[in-house]
Amino acid sequence: MFPDLVCVRTPLVNFHVLKDDAGLVLLDAGFIGGRHYLREALRERGWEDELIRGILVTHGHLDHVLNVASLAQEAGAWVAAPRLDRERYLDKERSRGWSRVAGVLEAIGRPLLRFRSFTPDRWIDDGDEIDLWGGLRAVHLPGHTAGHTGYYCESRRLLFCGDLFASFRGWSHLPPSILNQDSAGIRESVYKALSLDLGGVVPNHADGAEPEEHLRRLQSLAARLRPD
């Protein structure tokens, strides 16, 4: 992908590590087993002695934030996360509609998996600039959650798009309705993402294809979503 980017692949969800002169920043922090897979990925790349200086969150679902508090504490790292998912980090979210199904599952999973609530050091809003990895811009892509946010690197024409869609060969799709706060809103977020000058996208639920291929899949999915 890029020499200063590592994809931490796990059975349920991927997350990513960015490297610049100041150290490492995690994009999300993984789910069950995420800490183990992170250690292995860093060791394989030769980054095991690098400082983790921050964690940048895409949204507040448990499979993305389970390990945030513990990793931040161990590394002395800052945490930056979308403001509109605040209640999720504090374990106070009350889901509505179809997303109640996911809410029930998360309510069971949080104590079972020993989720630790956290308050970010920095709140992220749409359009915020983040001074790392050559410059990232927050792009609010709501629907999956209220605060769901992607991070766009203009210099590389690359969008880390979180759970905007799942990208697998022959099976690319929007997140299931039971996982979304507003499924209709995701369609608009897809079009918003594609309005950027993109050379590639990096989803969290995806196979090992290159960002250019994930972008082609997203474009194909968007074409299917548009009314005739």
Side-chain angles (χ1 to χ4, degrees):
M1 202 177 291
F2 294 94
D4 50 1
L5 169 64
V6 164
C7 177
V8 182
R9 299 188 59 79
T10 81
L12 295 175
V13 60
N14 303 328
F15 59 107
H16 300 87
V17 187
L18 310 178
K19 182 178 185 295
D20 57 23
D21 292 340
L24 307 180
V25 171
L26 306 185
L27 264 174
D28 291 334
F31 193 39
I32 300 169
R35 295 161 62 88
H36 164 74
Y37 289 106
L38 174 62
R39 287 193 299 269
E40 291 299 309
L42 295 181
R43 185 178 300 115
E44 183 176 337
R45 184 58 68 89
W47 293 357
E48 64 269 27
D49 295 325
E50 295 282 347
L51 173 69
I52 296 176
R53 65 184 181 99
I55 303 173
L56 187 58
V57 175
T58 62
H59 65 291
H61 277 162
L62 188 58
D63 58 332
H64 294 253
V65 300
L66 176 64
N67 302 304
V68 167
S70 58
L71 285 171
Q73 182 181 43
E74 289 176 13
W78 51 258
V79 177
R83 186 188 306 273
L84 293 177
D85 275 3
R86 177 180 181 275
E87 299 303 310
R88 295 182 181 274
Y89 319 134
L90 299 177
D91 199 11
K92 296 180 179 179
E93 175 70 15
R94 297 295 178 265
S95 300
R96 300 174 178 82
W98 280 108
S99 66
R100 287 179 180 173
V101 177
V104 169
L105 295 176
E106 289 208 329
I108 295 170
R110 286 172 185 260
L112 185 65
L113 299 174
R114 299 181 180 179
F115 169 74
R116 291 168 52 190
S117 61
F118 61 92
T119 299
D121 301 284
R122 174 180 174 181
W123 295 109
I124 297 294
D125 296 304
D126 189 32
D128 281 356
E129 300 288 342
I130 301 104
D131 185 19
L132 59 91
W133 213 58
L136 298 176
R137 184 170 80 243
V139 182
H140 187 214
L141 300 172
H144 191 49
T145 67
H148 184 268
T149 295
Y151 297 97
Y152 175 58
C153 182
E154 184 175 9
S155 63
R156 307 182 193 224
R157 302 175 61 232
L158 187 71
L159 175 67
F160 295 94
C161 63
D163 283 5
L164 181 64
F165 79 120
S167 178
F168 296 93
R169 183 178 181 182
W171 190 50
S172 296
H173 57 87
L174 299 181
S177 296
I178 62 170
L179 302 180
N180 302 326
Q181 186 174 42
D182 176 17
S183 291
I186 295 181
R187 295 171 181 251
E188 295 307 313
S189 289
V190 167
Y191 305 144
K192 179 179 179 179
L194 290 175
S195 72
L196 300 168
D197 177 23
L198 292 175
V201 298
V202 181
N204 283 76
H205 295 276
D207 59 24
E210 292 295 317
E212 295 82 1
E213 174 59 23
H214 291 309
L215 175 58
R216 284 191 287 271
R217 294 173 185 173
L218 180 59
Q219 291 167 333
S220 177
L221 176 60
R224 299 199 303 271
L225 294 175
R226 291 189 184 279
D228 295 333

